Every structure is written in C-alpha cells, then in structure tokens.
Amino acid sequence: MKRYQKMSQLYAPTLKEDPAEAELSSHRLLLRAGMIRKTAAGLYSYLPLAWRSIRKIEAVIRDEMEAIGAQEMMVPILTPSELWHESGRWDAYGPELMRIADRHGREFALGPTHEETFTDLVRNELRSYKQLPCTLYQIQDKFRDEMRPRFGLMRGREFIMKDAYSFSATQESLQECYDQQKDAYARIAERCGLYALPVVADSGQIGGDTSVEFMALADSGEAELVWCDCGFAADVEAAATKVPVSEGPGNGELEKVHTPGLGAIEDVAAFFGFPENGTRKSLALVAEDGSRVVAIVPGDHELNEIKASKLFGAYHLMTDEELEEAGLHKGFIGPVGLPEGVRLVCDESLRESTSWTCGANEVDYHYTGARPGRDFTVDEWADLVSVHEGDPCPRCGAPLKSARGIEVSQVFQLGTKYSEAMGATFADEDGVERPFLMGCYGIGVSRTLAAVVEQHNDEHGISWPVCVAPYEVEVVPLAVGDDVVAPVAEGVVSELCAADLEVLLDDRRERPGVKFADADLIGIPYQVILGKRGVAAGVAEVKVRETGERVDVPLGELAAWLAERVVPARA
Ligand code: ATP
Ligand code: MG
C-alpha cells in the first residue's frame, strides 16, 4: 500500500515562462517543473520531485552494485591535503580542486573524486591477496570548481556522484572488476531510461590506461561522437580510422600544372574536375619546440587539433610572416620540394595513395601525380584527421553516423598509479609485498537525471520514463469539490495506492487548462483524467504522457490497467 501526494501541498513551484538563463531543455524544464532551484552558480537544490527521481537512480545503482559484489560505504567529503601531496595531485589538479583551511591552517580539499582517500583507507588494513579483489563504493556529493559551471545539473560545482574503487592482486582480476563495472554501467544507463553508448576514451586527469565513457546521445551533448550499428562508438577526437581517398588526375607521372589563383581546395578540385577527396590539403605549422612542419591530410578532411597537439605539442598554424620566412606559399604548399628543415608529416589514410594532387611550393602551381617515395620523402605517417560522418567504421567498414553525447559515467583501469605513489600494498601468495592494481568507476547521478530529461521531453515538458519518474500516475480530477467527481477521485486514488502505484493527486482548485499544462510539464508517465461526463459514464480518460495516446478505461479496471503497464516498466 503506497501513500499518495497531494499537489496542493507539494513543494514544486512551477514557472509559466522559460527561465532566461537556461539554454538546455533539461535545465529549462527542471526549473520550470519546479524540480530544481539555483542556489549559486553551479549549486542547485533538488526539490521534492527531483529528489524522488534521484533516489530512484540511486536505487538502480545500488541494485547493480550489489549484484556484482561491490560494497557501499561512505568516506568524508573533506580530504586532507597530505593525501593529495602523496599522490602528486595537490598541484596537478589545479584550480578545479576546491581547497579550504581549518582554524589551525591545515589544508583540505572538498573531494572532487576519492582515489586518495580510498587508497589511504585500505593501505594498512587490506593486507592479503586472500581478501582480494575488493570493490568499495559510495554515493556522495562531489565538488569541482568548474571553469564554466553551466547547463544546470549537467555541469555543477557540487554534484552527486557514485564512485567505486576496486583493489586487485593481478591484472586479470582488475580486468574482471573493470568488465563487471562496465557491464553494470551499461545496465544502469538502460534501466534509467537512457540511450547511451560506451565510448573508448582517453584516461584524462585521473590517469590509467584503459577507459570507457558512457555517452547518452543528445543533440545538446558536449562530446562529438561517431558510431555504428555494429557497436563501435568513439569520440571524434579519439576515433582513428583510415579515410578512403581517391587518386588524383593524371597518368601517375609528376606533372606541374598552372593553377593561377587557385589556392583553395574546392577551387583546385573544381579545376581538375575531381572530388576534394582526390586532392591533398597541406598545412604549415610551427610545433611547440619551434620546428617547422607541413602536415598533409585528404582534401575533404581537417587536421584534428587534439591529434595534432599530441604530435606537435602547443603548435600554431604559420602566420603570413612565418610562411614567408620558411619559404612557403599560402595555398600552394605541398610535399614536393619542401624547403630545408621542414618536417613532412602525412595522414595514415594517404599511405597507399600513389598519385597526389597537391601544391607545388610555387605560387600559382600545383602538381598532379606526385608519388611518395619517388617525388618526396614522408618523415612520419600519423593519424591526423577528424573523422566524419560517413567515413568507414574501423570495426566493420559501414559508414559511421555522427551524434553528440553527454558523458554520464566512466570506468578506468588505474593500474598501480595510486597504490605505488601512496605505498598501498598487499602480501601475495609468496608473502611478497605488491602494490594493488586499482580501477575506479564514476557515475554522475545528478547529471544522469539531467540526461534523462534531455532525452525525454517535448514542447510541453518532461516525459519521464516510468523507471525514474517522480511518481508513476497523476490523478487529475477536473472539478474539485464536486459532489460527483470528488468522491470518485478519492476512490481511484486509494485503489491505485492499494495496487502499489506511486500517485500524485492534483487536488488544486485550478482550471482544467492549468492542470493539463502542469501535468504535461511535470511529465508523470500516466495521467488519469476524471471529468464529470466520464465519471457519470463510469470511465476515466488515461493519457499516456510519452505518446499522447488517450484511452477510456472503465473505473473498475483502472488500477489493473495501470499496474499492467507501470510495473514491468519499473527499473
Ligand atoms: P567532464 O569531462 O564532463 O568534465 P569528467 O570526465 O571530468 O567529466 P569524471 O571524473 O569521469 O568526470 O567523473 C565521473 C562522472 O561524474 C562523469 O562521467 C559525469 O557524469 C559526472 N560529472 C563530472 N563532472 C561533473 C560536473 N561538474 N557536474 C555534474 N556531473 C559531473
Ligand atoms: Mg570522465
């Protein structure tokens, strides 16, 4: 038997107008539906409706963690600076780490993540290989002084995270813990109603070598992705694929062609009557160490900044003066006859191509039929380009699709990074002390809530999936205080509660239009509308929020009808 909530008493101050500061649907709708309020930049209060959804997300997490034997616990939010000094992150973390001092001048950080605290916790008391593997986790507020807190719950300065840490004796065991967490994370996203893809990621600030991010697909996502039905998904920055390239015009012999004023790729391609892909794009840049580089990519692709900076450090494209100094001509740069001291780095996709159309390093001239090895020497082949929609999937070859994503969670293999730095060891079977092999696993709980709204809304408001909806059914009597409708509504509510459904009752003395608008805005999955005429005929009109479908259900069957749909859809 569930209790129900009266809307007249519910603390959910809805807004008629769109709040000006909200750019994202989720931010706008969570504010408008009276679910969150801003306390300060990047700091939000979760009002009762949002909190119910948060609790449901947490319940899914707890269930999945229990299923794989991870143990819930709690460590302090305040983390002593000594631990951060041990790991080397007091300095490395930078201004994102929120630091405070106590009355004695001792320094602490508000935990942005807790590798140090957990490693410190186990280092003296998890002693033997017999106790391993061991995975501990907590669900707790985290603090990061983000440079640009924004988008409401998406990027806060205080946010809710589930963070887990695994301690293993061997790499195999770490791999197993990691795989279990990864699989659990996929299920958690799904059970929370998210469509999310696992994306192989760089390991970033926390470190480690193997890592996957779960990306909830949404047009507003910060990450740019390519993905494929075969299951491949990657950040555009990280995706490595060979782009198909066509050979340029000509018979394979090196030929210099007069191309007056044709410095742009599209003009060159048009001049030769070839797709842009059959030309080669040359970029002159200065690497961090001051050396000069010409980087060449297929004509229809761009040099990827992240990949380039991995190779060249903090590089920049040459200015007009630098080009002149280097003896290069804007629009006519190419691999043949490069000036002394310029390093030639070419994209992997071009390795097998034998007939390049490219600048001739002479104003108003291009070459066709330029061949690596014969006409010029490539100093280095490297993965340089940003992958596009339509490029072949590196796994199966099908054309890649593009999408944007919200990172909702991430799993890392840390290896011995923290255990070595902090001297966290266990005794192996031979009594030899070895550092733990660690993994860490984070879910943005509050970000997940925002991502769910981002994926489940329309022009009228939120449309919660049952699994994380604040309530499952909203009962909307249209004439409160009416002698006929009011007692029927009371009866319906108690039957639904008896059927174990979570019910919100709109008992406010408001016009039907106001109630309908609020119901659509708050987005409870099923609306039970009780009007005079329906009630007289013994039926309720049920509106399915997600589809807009309306069904007349006899009052006597209502509880069963709803339970049949709601219960299987619970997480
Ligand atoms: P981002 O790249 O978005 O800054 P991150 O990779 O730094 O995130 P992690 O250290 O992997 O974040 O933290 C685990 C999870 O915590 C993330 O996957 C994300 O869901 C969530 N998270 C991280 N930063 C924030 C934030 N500022 N506000 C809300 N959730 C966050
Ligand atoms: Mg991350």
Side-chain angles (χ1 to χ4, degrees):
M1 178 82 183
K2 288 256 171 19
R3 298 198 179 89
Y4 68 99
Q5 173 68 46
K6 286 182 179 168
M7 223 150 136
S8 58
Q9 307 306 118
L10 177 70
Y11 191 64
T14 55
L15 305 173
K16 292 229 165 45
E17 304 296 325
D18 280 341
E21 80 263 27
E23 296 165 54
L24 248 54
S25 311
S26 57
H27 187 191
R28 182 170 52 81
L29 291 171
L30 287 168
L31 284 167
R32 275 199 56 199
M35 300 186 80
I36 60 169
R37 282 297 179 263
K38 179 162 129 181
T39 298
L43 304 180
Y44 283 85
S45 301
Y46 308 89
L47 309 194
L49 289 173
W51 196 244
R52 289 181 66 95
S53 292
I54 290 278
R55 296 291 290 265
K56 288 191 178 179
I57 295 169
E58 292 180 352
V60 170
I61 293 172
R62 291 193 167 101
D63 186 53
E64 289 291 342
M65 287 301 108
E66 201 177 309
I68 57 172
Q71 301 167 61
E72 184 170 7
M73 55 168 289
M74 188 69 102
V75 299
I77 287 175
L78 281 183
T79 57
S81 61
E82 292 79 13
L83 296 180
W84 295 90
H85 284 299
E86 275 190 68
S87 71
R89 288 208 291 183
W90 185 255
D91 295 323
Y93 218 106
E96 243 183 57
L97 193 62
M98 288 197 160
R99 298 161 212 250
I100 58 168
D102 70 9
R103 66 176 75 203
H104 307 293
R106 287 191 207 103
E107 291 182 297
F108 296 82
L110 295 170
T113 171
H114 279 86
E115 282 77 12
E116 284 81 356
T117 304
F118 276 86
T119 307
D120 172 57
L121 179 80
V122 301
R123 65 176 153 186
N124 295 317
E125 293 181 299
L126 195 57
R127 294 295 312 131
S128 159
Y129 73 96
K130 290 183 202 141
Q131 298 164 282
L132 304 180
C134 174
T135 301
L136 304 170
Y137 79 97
Q138 61 175 350
I139 298 175
Q140 185 193 56
D141 274 13
K142 294 283 181 276
F143 297 81
R144 294 184 187 179
D145 200 357
E146 297 275 357
M147 178 122 80
R148 292 185 66 196
R150 56 187 176 152
F151 306 145
L153 300 184
M154 283 295 177
R155 187 168 295 286
R157 294 196 295 170
E158 174 175 350
F159 57 96
I160 307 170
M161 201 207 282
K162 170 265 180 182
D163 48 325
Y165 306 87
S166 69
F167 301 89
S168 287
T170 62
Q171 175 59 36
E172 295 69 54
S173 161
L174 166 56
Q175 188 68 45
E176 204 173 306
C177 294
Y178 173 87
D179 290 340
Q180 281 179 340
Q181 290 282 338
K182 193 164 70 179
D183 294 348
Y185 276 30
R187 288 191 298 271
I188 289 166
E190 199 190 324
R191 287 179 64 182
C192 289
L194 284 178
Y195 184 61
L197 295 173
V199 169
V200 174
D202 279 336
S203 37
Q205 177 70 56
I206 292 173
D209 43 19
T210 307
S211 169
V212 160
E213 292 170 340
F214 286 86
M215 293 284 182
L217 298 190
D219 291 340
S220 60
E222 291 182 288
E224 228 185 306
L225 309 175
V226 281
W227 64 286
C228 176
D229 290 324
C230 77
F232 173 83
D235 199 294
V236 170
E237 311 295 1
T241 191
K242 277 204 173 185
V243 178
V245 291
S246 41
E247 299 295 294
N251 57 5
E253 293 306 315
L254 185 69
E255 195 187 336
K256 194 190 274 183
V257 183
H258 192 210
T259 52
L262 304 182
I265 287 285
E266 61 261 33
D267 298 339
V268 177
F271 177 84
F272 288 107
F274 248 73
E276 288 182 21
N277 180 271
T279 67
R280 307 290 174 256
K281 189 186 282 179
S282 303
L283 298 121
L285 48 96
V286 180
E288 186 170 351
D289 64 6
S291 62
R292 291 170 178 155
V293 177
V294 162
I296 302 190
V297 297
D300 61 344
H301 279 69
E302 299 78 46
L303 178 69
N304 179 297
E305 286 178 27
I306 306 254
K307 292 178 181 178
S309 47
K310 275 189 191 146
L311 285 167
F312 311 125
Y315 74 95
H316 67 269
L317 293 178
M318 285 189 189
T319 61
D320 288 351
E321 289 94 80
E322 284 170 331
L323 283 170
E324 204 178 318
E325 261 172 52
L328 293 167
H329 310 285
K330 197 177 195 164
F332 300 94
I333 303 167
V336 184
L338 276 176
E340 209 44 30
V342 177
R343 188 152 69 102
L344 180 60
V345 182
C346 298
D347 185 63
E348 275 292 349
S349 314
L350 300 171
R351 211 192 256 267
E352 266 92 54
S353 168
T354 54
S355 182
W356 296 23
T357 297
C358 47
N361 291 317
E362 195 179 325
V363 176
D364 289 348
Y365 283 94
H366 275 79
Y367 279 119
T368 58
R371 182 177 194 148
R374 181 189 69 191
D375 304 318
F376 60 92
T377 305
V378 177
D379 295 307
E380 191 179 341
W381 296 99
D383 176 29
L384 291 178
V385 294
S386 298
V387 176
H388 287 181
E389 182 163 21
D391 285 342
C393 168
R395 200 181 287 167
C396 76
L400 288 169
K401 294 180 257 206
S402 72
R404 302 190 72 87
I406 299 163
E407 181 197 320
V408 286
S409 58
Q410 183 161 21
V411 290
F412 285 99
Q413 288 192 33
L414 294 166
T416 56
K417 179 175 163 152
Y418 293 91
S419 50
E420 264 181 33
M422 299 180 66
T425 61
F426 66 96
D428 75 5
E429 288 175 54
D430 305 317
V432 178
E433 289 293 317
R434 296 191 186 283
F436 294 109
L437 286 141
M438 290 173 55
C440 72
Y441 318 94
I443 302 180
V445 176
S446 41
R447 186 182 284 183
T448 292
L449 183 79
V452 170
V453 177
E454 213 52 41
Q455 283 190 355
H456 299 269
N457 74 78
D458 61 19
E459 69 272 29
H460 304 296
I462 305 173
S463 168
W464 291 103
V466 168
C467 46
V468 293
Y471 291 90
E472 294 164 339
V473 180
E474 180 171 333
V475 176
V476 189
L478 294 184
V480 175
D482 179 275
D483 293 347
V484 187
V485 175
V488 173
E490 243 168 68
V492 162
V493 167
S494 36
E495 276 173 39
L496 299 187
C497 289
D500 217 28
L501 296 167
E502 298 176 6
V503 179
L504 182 63
L505 168 66
D506 192 349
D507 61 332
R508 300 172 304 165
R509 294 185 172 275
E510 289 284 3
R511 288 181 292 111
V514 172
K515 291 189 171 190
F516 292 149
D518 276 350
D520 279 356
L521 175 61
I522 291 171
I524 304 307
Y526 292 92
Q527 299 169 12
V528 173
I529 300 157
L530 300 169
K532 269 193 185 164
R533 215 175 309 145
V535 164
V539 295
E541 185 186 32
V542 180
K543 177 178 164 188
V544 184
R545 174 65 184 92
E546 193 186 355
T547 59
E549 184 192 353
R550 290 167 189 272
V551 190
D552 281 338
V553 181
L555 290 171
E557 293 166 26
L558 191 58
W561 191 95
L562 286 166
E564 207 173 283
R565 284 158 180 82
V566 166
V567 174
R570 282 178 184 156

